[in-house]
């Protein structure tokens, strides 16, 4: 379970454990530890596994990601762990290269190619803006079909536990296109707080992120995604949740309500932590 403590990975782990299935978390904090930057940790993490959920960190569009996930897939196949479920990104050329590199390993592969995660607002780099009441992004008005990480986890678990998903590629999106401004409106409604979306230029966004101490590599990655990938190419719905699970994906409004009910958007709770 690579990335097993991340946004999608921890949900996959919870579901597998609920089914009493044995799970090994493959991350730097796992036992044994797994580090993408230290290949000597890979074989011990793979040993004895039946299948691998492959979620790369930080992003498949990061430098060296394609080569790294390709090498991991080759080692998995050579270690008699050919069953891989790869978390990929929609409309990212590098993610498609990574898919090809993993496929070239000869793995029994399921590709989970996902839209933007709704949970970026509650568990990642957009949370600070939500808590502060202003989400400033160079997102313009390009709509995105945000997908719920719970749906990604449901599809990943189906793929990890059922061989019928071998050879499939699922395009996972939510059921609705929303601009970032509309997504922020949904969160404001769910929290009954005044939270607004502020459109900014790429340069303004990068300067503000650097000022807040965001590492240069992370700023590069995020600005790349907004500049190159969020250009309308992904502004259509995918049918992956329905194809894989036979049900409709969760709507963003439901995500926003559940996240608000968990208290994650409550600035007082953050201040007390
Ligand atoms: N966010 C989106 O909207 C989106 C959309 C489509 C696709 N994706 C893809 O989703 C993937 C990320 O998945 P996610 O959001 O579920 O994960 P995530 O929340 O970014 O989680 C990070 C995970 O990676 C582990 N990790 C961090 N550095 C590591 C290292 N050097 N070696 C090993 N593990 C490391 C962390 O655990 P430790 O700290 O314990 O190491 C944690 O388990 C990326 O490949 C991205 O391309 C993201």
């Amino acid at each position: 379970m690579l990335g097993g403590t991340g946004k999608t990975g921890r949900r996959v782990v919870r579901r597998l454990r609920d089914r009493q299935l044995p799970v090994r978390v493959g991350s730097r904090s796992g036992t044994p530890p797994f580090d993408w930057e230290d290949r000597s940790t890979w074989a011990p993490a793979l040993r004895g596994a039946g299948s691998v959920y492959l979620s790369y960190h930080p992003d498949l569009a990061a430098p060296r990601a394609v080569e790294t996930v390709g090498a991991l897939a080759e080692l998995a196949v050579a270690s008699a762990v050919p069953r891989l479920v790869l978390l990929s990104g929609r409309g990212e050329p590098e993610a498609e290269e990574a898919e090809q590199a993993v496929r070239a390993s000869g793995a029994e592969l399921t590709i989970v190619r996902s839209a933007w995660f709704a949970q970026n607002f509650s568990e990642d780099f957009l949370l600070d803006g939500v808590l502060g009441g202003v989400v400033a992004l160079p997102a313009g008005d390009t709509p995105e079909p945000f997908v719920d990480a719970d749906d990604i986890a449901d599809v990943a678990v189906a793929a990890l536990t059922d061989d019928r998903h071998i050879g499939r590629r699922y395009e996972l999106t939510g059921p609705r296109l929303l601009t970032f401004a509309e997504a922020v409106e949904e969160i404001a409604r769910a929290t009954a707080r005044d939270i607004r979306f502020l459109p900014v230029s790429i340069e303004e966004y990068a300067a503000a992120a650097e000022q807040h101490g965001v590492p240069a590599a992370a700023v590069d990655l995020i600005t790349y995604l907004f500049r190159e990938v969020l250009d309308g190419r992904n502004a259509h719905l995918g049918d992956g949740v329905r194809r894989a699970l036979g049900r409709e994906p969760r709507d963003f409004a439901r995500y926003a309500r559940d996240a608000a009910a968990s208290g994650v958007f409550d600035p007082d709770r953050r201040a007390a932590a």
Side-chain angles (χ1 to χ4, degrees):
M1 182 62 48
L2 306 184
T5 55
K7 291 185 290 301
T8 59
R10 67 171 163 265
R11 290 175 162 82
V12 178
V13 168
R14 197 186 313 133
R15 283 160 171 74
L16 293 172
R17 289 196 171 137
D18 284 350
R19 291 195 194 185
Q20 321 285 324
L21 292 167
V23 183
R24 182 183 304 147
V25 171
S27 82
R28 295 165 304 176
S29 51
T31 312
F34 170 89
D35 190 342
W36 284 110
E37 308 292 332
D38 177 0
R39 294 191 185 198
S40 72
T41 65
W42 294 7
L46 288 170
R47 197 161 295 136
S51 57
V52 175
Y53 177 66
L54 204 174
S55 154
Y56 182 74
H57 186 84
D59 196 283
L60 291 173
R64 297 186 309 284
V66 172
E67 189 242 328
T68 307
V69 297
L72 186 282
E74 270 181 31
L75 181 65
V77 171
S79 311
V81 192
R83 185 74 187 96
L84 305 184
V85 176
L86 173 67
L87 176 62
S88 182
R90 255 177 130 218
E92 290 178 27
E94 300 82 356
E96 289 185 25
E97 283 175 45
E99 293 172 10
Q100 282 161 19
V102 172
R103 195 180 288 115
S105 69
E108 295 167 3
L109 178 61
T110 306
I111 294 171
V112 179
R113 196 190 267 180
S114 294
W116 271 74
F117 303 168
Q119 277 75 6
N120 290 333
F121 287 98
S122 45
E123 301 174 23
D124 211 314
F125 71 109
L126 301 178
L127 179 59
D128 282 346
V130 173
L131 292 174
V134 180
V135 180
L137 286 175
D141 52 10
T142 305
E144 169 69 20
F146 297 93
V147 66
D148 192 311
D150 280 316
D151 282 341
I152 300 173
D154 283 346
V155 172
V157 167
L160 287 164
T161 55
D162 187 339
D163 284 352
R164 281 179 300 182
H165 300 286
I166 292 174
R168 301 275 168 88
R169 187 185 70 216
Y170 296 116
E171 293 258 338
L172 299 196
T173 74
R176 188 160 62 110
L177 288 164
L178 290 109
T179 63
F180 277 75
E182 289 167 339
V184 172
E185 266 173 42
E186 291 284 4
I187 293 171
R189 192 171 306 128
T191 54
R193 283 183 45 225
D194 183 17
I195 309 168
R196 66 193 176 89
F197 172 74
L198 178 67
V200 294
S201 69
I202 295 264
E203 293 73 25
E204 288 167 328
Y205 179 80
E210 274 162 32
Q211 224 172 26
H212 282 90
V214 179
V219 175
D220 284 352
L221 189 59
I222 292 169
T223 51
Y224 165 77
L225 292 172
F226 278 108
R227 194 175 48 239
E228 303 287 334
V229 182
L230 205 78
D231 64 353
R233 74 185 72 173
N234 290 333
H236 57 275
L237 304 182
D239 62 358
V241 173
R242 199 175 325 116
R243 277 176 54 228
L245 303 175
R247 65 160 174 81
E248 295 305 312
R250 283 161 52 103
D251 190 72
F252 192 89
R254 180 171 161 203
Y255 151 75
R257 275 197 307 274
D258 288 354
S262 79
V264 68
F265 293 137
D266 182 352
D268 296 335
R269 200 179 85 147
R270 166 64 78 87

